[in-house]
Amino acid sequence: MRVLLVGSGGREHALAWKLAQSPHIESLICAPGNAGIAAERLAKSGTPVECASVGAEELEKLAALALEQRIDLTVVGPDNPLALGIVDLFEERGLRIWGPTRRAARFESSKAFSQRFMEQHGIPAAAGGAFDDAAAAKRFAASLGGRCVVKADGLALGKGVLVCSSQAEAERAVDRIMVERAFGAAGARVVVQEFLEGVELSLHALCDGKVAKVFPTSQDHKRALDGDRGPNTGGMGAYSPTPFLRDAQGGGTATLAAASASIFEPFMRGCAAEGIDYRGILYPGIMLTASGPRVLEFNARFGDPETQVYLTRLQSDLLELLEASTSGTLERMELKWSPLTSVCVVMASGGYPERYARGKVISGLDAAAVMPHTKVFHAGTAQQAGEIVTSGGRVLGVTALGHDLKAARSAAYAAVERIHFAGAQYRQDIGERALLKGA
Ligand code: AMP
Ligand code: GLY
């Protein structure tokens, strides 16, 4: 099969690396890709993975590329092309593509849509409401005592969520989003939610419009600095599985099986009732509260850096799974996972998520690549005059497997120590709280 992969981050490098292992692949093109993706080769033939300089949001050009290259399946990594309707466009042109349609991707592109859906279909969520009117949003925040979270309805690069601890802060947040339009058109509407306390985790399920196959648990670390301090980022590191939500064998309510039953089952039933054909990954961010897991948000794609830890543990053929998700035949597929723990430490450019420099030479990649059970996924990297240089905020996702969390962490950090670039910034405490919990 000839496959086109859309995107350029660490998630896409992990997808490319795993797809390249499939014996069914005869050609893999990534648009636009990055330096790490360009260095991958197909396991069966040794053919290099190609990178095409077409942006992930240039939908017409991507469709033309798929036609010209006789692509059998296009795989979409990021949220923006999904929200723009890449799946609808490709399907109109008779091109096979994996991912949710624009309508199905509204679970991520509209928080108001998700809030309404969760309330209607009995999915445990934060109590909340969606508002087109700033005064009404402020009144609702007051009814929550001002301790609330104010969210821009639309996509805002993960930045459109403001946590407030007083009514004055909530009113300021509503004004920033709705009046000043700090996040542009995404803030025409807001969702105001009660503030939930607990441990935040990521769930993923692969869906085919009928069934949802649930992945093991994982946890991302969204804040920039150790101890969950500093600004929110796209994600500074992840590990899987997490001890905060055990698999079914442990019994009790804090299990993955119980969380799946309360989230994915009503989700699929709700989609059937509303005529939404959800194919792709559904990734709910959840809070484990004292009264059980509650959904904070839905994403309509793989998480980054969750993908890096999931795909290093996945033993099944990824292409077969994505094919089955596209064609509605997932029910008979089995997802096999390594029992090992995977840890990904993100190395970012100094200053990320605010301003940062680009073009810093990265050294030590070869020394890290030879370390056992370790894979360095590239995110913001580029080739320049024969060297690999930084080209984004998140630069690398250094990922390692171990027989437990402690071993996987040691291996990942040992590889991180070998890699250098000016201003490199990374968290030292990925998975540390889980270790204290006894993982
Ligand atoms: P979201 O993009 O909706 O997931 O929000 C970004 C981050 O804000 C989440 O990862 C949480 O850390 C935090 N957050 C969102 N909603 C809530 C909530 N209702 N209560 C507490 N924290 C929240
Ligand atoms: N891990 C955060 C995200 O992918 O949105």
Side-chain angles (χ1 to χ4, degrees), residues 11 79 108 158 202 204 219-222 233-238 283 297 299 301-307 394:
R11 163 184 51 213
D79 48 356
E108 177 160 8
S202 301
H204 279 55
Q219 186 174 40
D220 183 15
H221 296 60
K222 291 200 170 143
T233 70
M236 293 299 289
Y283 152 22
E297 63 160 350
N299 300 294
R301 51 167 176 90
F302 273 107
D304 187 348
E306 288 90 335
T307 308
R394 291 189 289 177

Side-chain angles (χ1 to χ4, degrees), residues 82-237:
L82 294 169
L84 290 170
I86 189 172
V87 172
D88 313 60
L89 178 79
F90 273 51
E91 286 178 349
E92 277 162 28
R93 305 268 164 95
L95 294 162
R96 287 190 83 228
I97 182 162
W98 174 80
T101 59
R102 183 180 180 149
R103 175 161 182 245
R106 286 194 77 203
F107 284 105
E108 177 160 8
S109 63
S110 170
K111 289 181 190 287
F113 174 82
S114 281
Q115 185 77 22
R116 193 273 306 156
F117 184 93
M118 289 194 281
E119 276 168 24
Q120 200 157 330
H121 298 290
I123 298 172
F131 304 93
D132 297 316
D133 172 58
K138 290 176 187 174
R139 279 198 299 278
F140 186 75
S143 78
L144 297 171
R147 190 161 163 70
C148 64
V149 183
V150 183
K151 306 181 175 188
D153 176 44
L155 293 179
L157 295 170
K159 291 184 182 164
V161 173
L162 304 175
V163 176
C164 311
S165 49
S166 67
Q167 180 63 15
E169 272 182 41
E171 295 197 359
R172 177 85 197 100
V174 171
D175 286 338
R176 271 192 70 200
I177 298 177
M178 296 189 90
V179 182
E180 294 159 27
R181 292 290 171 97
F183 310 103
R189 258 182 179 184
V190 289
V191 167
V192 181
Q193 288 180 338
E194 69 177 312
F195 179 84
L196 294 177
E197 271 173 282
V199 176
E200 198 178 333
L201 301 179
S202 301
L203 299 182
H204 279 55
L206 182 63
C207 307
D208 71 346
K210 290 175 276 196
V211 297
K213 296 273 183 174
V214 182
F215 286 17
T217 54
S218 70
Q219 186 174 40
D220 183 15
H221 296 60
K222 291 200 170 143
R223 301 292 203 92
L225 306 175
D226 283 3
D228 292 329
R229 291 173 303 109
N232 255 325
T233 70
M236 293 299 289

